[in-house]
């Protein structure tokens, strides 16, 4: 089984191997446990044959294997990078998988839930299965279906898909069908790239953006057949499907490292632009917000009496911050909830509940399942996503896109900042619409929001001491992060970044909670990062955290304090002071998070870790 893999398919006049490997390189962030390719080539005579290679480990291992044992020239092919769930990441479990005749090859992203029954059926019928994967059953099912469909590979795949349960993107080739690649999707991504004299299939447009920016969204339960000059899309039942073609508005340079050693460094640096792009066109000349694109009518929004914001990981931290902003600016009760917990606790939802789902990738399965549950209960769902045409926005009632551009590093950075911008926009818009008590404050905050790209830029310019500090702490075993109010989710985010990149024990706490237990963790020289709230309108909060810093310092902690310029009250208690520009309290996460990203990235690099592809992780988590 494979959970969130990268898939590429190609038919045209170029070297399929080169196009596929290049595409896989761009998709390697999706999974890097193993990789493989399948090509359809001439067998030297009048016939054609299937050639495959696959290897455990990163793409480089596959490339090395192909260099040692070159594959035949081909202009039809496909490739896969895998992130394993069940079935260890071995050569044997790597994709592609083939049938008994060695003429059909299949690559797969997702989980086929009824594979045990299908496997038993195939074994009973005499098919030898040689891997631990669910994918292999598809190859053997296709073997017979292809015969029954008179050599029509798309029809064969439709027949097989009708028998499958679960989530899957499948791409298949057949040695008897040169010049044809067929794909299918259910609950898992697949996009088609339309070129001139060549066409592409991929999990993500990044794989083919160097060749074409024309893309087609493949809908749920659809099969696509690509040939060099033809694309045909059908539903699983064989009926013709409507085609939704679009132009990708970013180019290949946006998906390249652009001179940085890691995508993460580039993506941290891109944050001022990403924030600016996400604000672009959404604040009118009169200072009022324009979010008509969300496709929710003002009447619908006025009816809402409760909001639940749902997400996973870093996006969940944006959801926690959304709760503070929404309740303050709109006075609508708001909860933030982990997507993986949401539907299992039987949440109280109604037609007047607005559910906001936040997902950079738009493909996270936990979030998708939560959104489906909310819609089944009749609630309105608004998606905040960075990925045009992905499943979560498509299945939601409304969408507000962040414009971070492609985020390739597994650790989310610029996507997080733009998610914050999006939730602020939604909260302020609702506040404007419903005419809450804070009219003047809202106007002021909108102005301040417009100034955030510059402030983020300013923070980035002063990060050298943070990098030095990170390098000096590379030998530590544990780092704690404290915050209050919106500084608390920022602390959680700082800890998550350090865990996922530096593999260190890192915890984020609400500073006020410390005295209820975690303070026992404080020992001599333990590094503790404290996010100090702005003084603006939140004096009490500020003073409380200054006391918290004193408490931990008195117990030996090494205090690393993130505080606004001009905040002198913290100076006596800070072993290291990181300054951020003065910002209204609710907007402070936009600047306070940046040093924590830089800190985690530098510390992980100092420890020799691969920051773009941390161990055990994948960018897009399409399993529950
Ligand atoms: C954070 O750095 C991680 N990459 C992860 O927590 C991520 O935010 C989470 O998996 C949710 O992803 P999504 O926004 O694509 O749904």
């Amino acid at each position: 089984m494979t959970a969130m893999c990268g898939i590429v398919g190609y038919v045209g006049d170029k070297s399929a191997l080169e196009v596929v490997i290049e595409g896989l390189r761009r998709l390697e962030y999706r999974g890097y446990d193993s990789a493989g390719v399948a090509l359809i080539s001439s067998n030297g005579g009048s016939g054609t044959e299937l050639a495959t290679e696959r290897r455990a480990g990163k793409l480089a291992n596959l490339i090395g294997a192909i260099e040692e044992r070159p594959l035949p020239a081909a202009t039809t092919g496909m490739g896969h990078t895998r992130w394993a769930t069940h079935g260890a990441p071995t050569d044997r479990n790597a994709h592609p998988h083939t049938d008994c005749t060695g003429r059909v090859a299949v690559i797969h992203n997702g989980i086929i839930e009824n594979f045990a029954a299908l496997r038993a059926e195939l074994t009973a019928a005499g098919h030898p299965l040689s891997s631990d994967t669910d994918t292999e059953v598809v190859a053997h099912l296709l073997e017979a279906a292809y015969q029954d469909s008179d050599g029509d590979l798309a029809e064969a795949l439709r027949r097989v898909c009708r028998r499958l349960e679960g989530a899957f993107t499948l791409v298949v080739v057949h040695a008897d069908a040169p010049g044809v690649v067929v794909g299918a999707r259910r609950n898992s991504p697949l996009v088609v790239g339309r070129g001139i004299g060549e066409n592409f299939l991929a999990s993500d447009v990044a794989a083919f953006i160097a060749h074409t920016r024309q893309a087609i969204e493949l809908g749920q339960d659809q099969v696509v057949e690509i040939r060099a000059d033809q694309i045909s899309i059908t539903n699983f039942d064989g009926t013709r499907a409507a085609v939704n073609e679009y132009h990708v508005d970013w180019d290949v340079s946006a998906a390249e490292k652009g001179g940085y050693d890691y995508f993460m460094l580039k993506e941290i640096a891109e944050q001022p632009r990403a924030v600016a792009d996400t604000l672009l066109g959404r604040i009118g000349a009169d200072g009022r917000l324009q979010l008509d694109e969300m496709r929710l009518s003002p009447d619908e929004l006025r009816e809402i009496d409760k909001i639940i914001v749902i997400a996973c990981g870093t996006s969940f931290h944006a959801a926690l911050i959304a709760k503070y902003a929404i309740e303050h600016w709109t006075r609508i009760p708001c909860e933030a909830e982990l997507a993986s917990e949401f539907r299992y606790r039987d949440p109280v939802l109604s037609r007047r509940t607005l559910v906001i789902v936040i997902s950079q990738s738009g493909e996270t399965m936990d979030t998708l399942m939560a959104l489906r549950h909310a819609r089944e209960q009749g609630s309105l769902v608004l998606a905040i996503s960075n990925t045009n045409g992905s499943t979560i926005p498509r299945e939601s009632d409304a969408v507000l896109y962040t414009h971070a551009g492609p985020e390739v590093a597994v650790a989310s950075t610029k996507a997080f900042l733009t998610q914050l911008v999006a939730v602020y926009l939604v909260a302020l818009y609702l506040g404007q619409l419903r005419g809450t008590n804070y009219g003047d404050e809202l106007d002021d905050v909108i102005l301040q929001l417009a100034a955030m790209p510059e402030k983020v830029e300013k923070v980035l310019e002063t990060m050298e001491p943070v990098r030095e500090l990170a390098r000096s702490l590379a030998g530590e075993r544990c780092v704690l992060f404290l915050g209050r109010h919106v500084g608390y989710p920022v602390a959680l985010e700082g800890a998550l970044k350090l865990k996922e990149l530096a593999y260190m024990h890192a915890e984020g706490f609400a500073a006020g909670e410390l005295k209820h237990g975690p303070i026992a963790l404080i020992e001599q020289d333990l590094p503790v990062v404290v996010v100090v709230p702005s003084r603006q309108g939140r004096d009490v909060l500020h003073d409380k955290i200054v006391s918290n810093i004193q408490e931990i310092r008195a117990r030996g902690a090494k205090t690393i304090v993130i505080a606004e310029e001009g905040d002198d009250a913290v100076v006596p208690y800070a072993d290291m002071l990181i300054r951020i520009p003065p910002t209204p309290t609710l907007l402070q996460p936009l600047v306070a998070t940046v040093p924590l990203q830089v800190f985690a990235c530098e510390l992980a690099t100092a420890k020799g870790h691969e920051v773009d592809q941390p161990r055990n992780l994948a960018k897009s988590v399409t399993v529950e």
Side-chain angles (χ1 to χ4, degrees), residues 14-239:
K14 298 184 178 129
S15 155
L17 182 65
E18 277 173 30
V19 173
V20 165
I21 294 282
E22 179 198 337
L24 290 181
R25 202 171 272 132
R26 290 185 204 284
L27 295 183
E28 209 184 1
Y29 69 87
R30 296 181 66 89
Y32 32 83
D33 285 344
S34 57
V37 290
L39 304 172
I40 305 294
S41 65
S42 154
N43 65 5
S46 56
T48 45
E49 66 183 9
L50 174 70
T52 63
E53 187 58 89
R54 52 190 188 159
R55 277 291 183 280
K58 296 207 171 188
L59 190 56
N61 293 4
L62 174 72
I63 295 170
I66 296 173
E67 276 166 7
E68 265 176 36
R69 200 174 65 91
L71 290 166
T75 54
T76 302
M78 63 183 193
H80 186 264
T81 57
R82 174 170 188 248
W83 186 87
T85 46
H86 308 300
T90 57
D91 287 355
R92 193 168 66 89
N93 289 334
H95 297 210
H97 290 280
T98 50
D99 68 330
C100 303
T101 65
R103 297 191 72 75
V104 182
V106 177
I107 53 178
H108 169 217
N109 173 22
I111 291 177
I112 295 165
E113 285 166 1
N114 58 336
F115 101 102
L118 295 169
R119 194 182 169 98
E121 176 190 315
L122 288 162
T123 312
H127 292 263
L129 289 141
S130 58
S131 76
D132 307 323
T133 68
D134 51 348
T135 308
E136 196 184 358
V137 301
V138 177
H140 290 270
L141 290 172
L142 271 171
E143 184 185 331
Y146 186 71
Q147 302 301 331
D148 298 344
S149 314
D150 298 327
D152 179 342
L153 191 57
E155 172 55 19
L157 187 58
R158 283 192 293 268
R159 287 181 189 213
V160 171
C161 286
R162 293 200 289 264
R163 300 202 55 201
L164 304 180
E165 287 165 21
F168 48 87
T169 297
L170 291 163
V171 174
V172 305
V173 289
H174 198 298
D176 295 340
V180 177
V181 179
V182 177
R185 77 168 281 265
R186 170 182 287 167
N187 292 335
S188 187
L190 186 63
V191 277
V192 185
R194 184 196 288 283
I196 298 169
E198 58 182 358
N199 289 307
F200 306 79
L201 296 179
S203 314
D204 178 327
V205 293
F208 55 69
I209 196 77
H211 304 278
T212 177
R213 288 166 72 180
Q214 279 309 112
I216 298 170
E217 284 174 22
L218 198 64
Q220 181 75 333
D221 285 4
Q222 290 182 350
V223 164
V224 58
E225 179 190 279
I226 59 166
R227 294 168 184 264
D229 51 6
Q230 199 185 314
I231 297 168
S232 30
I233 302 179
T234 46
N235 298 306
F236 281 0
D237 63 9
T239 54

Side-chain angles (χ1 to χ4, degrees), residues 311-316 358-364 367 392 407 409-413 415 419 493 496-497 500 617-621:
C312 304
T314 289
S315 301
F316 174 66
I358 307 177
S359 175
Q360 186 285 131
S361 61
E363 299 292 347
T364 301
T367 312
I392 288 173
E407 190 179 68
V410 164
S412 182
T413 53
Q419 288 167 348
E493 176 59 8
L496 175 61
K497 284 286 154 293
E500 69 175 334
L617 288 169
K619 182 71 180 161
S620 166
V621 184

Side-chain angles (χ1 to χ4, degrees), residues 331-360:
R331 310 311 298 150
I332 305 172
C334 179
E335 295 164 26
E337 178 125 21
L338 287 167
S340 53
E341 289 293 318
F342 174 69
R343 70 186 168 131
Y344 301 104
R345 68 167 176 90
D346 194 14
V348 179
L349 296 163
S350 78
R351 289 186 188 285
R352 299 181 66 190
T353 310
L354 174 67
V355 171
I356 303 177
V357 290
I358 307 177
S359 175
Q360 186 285 131

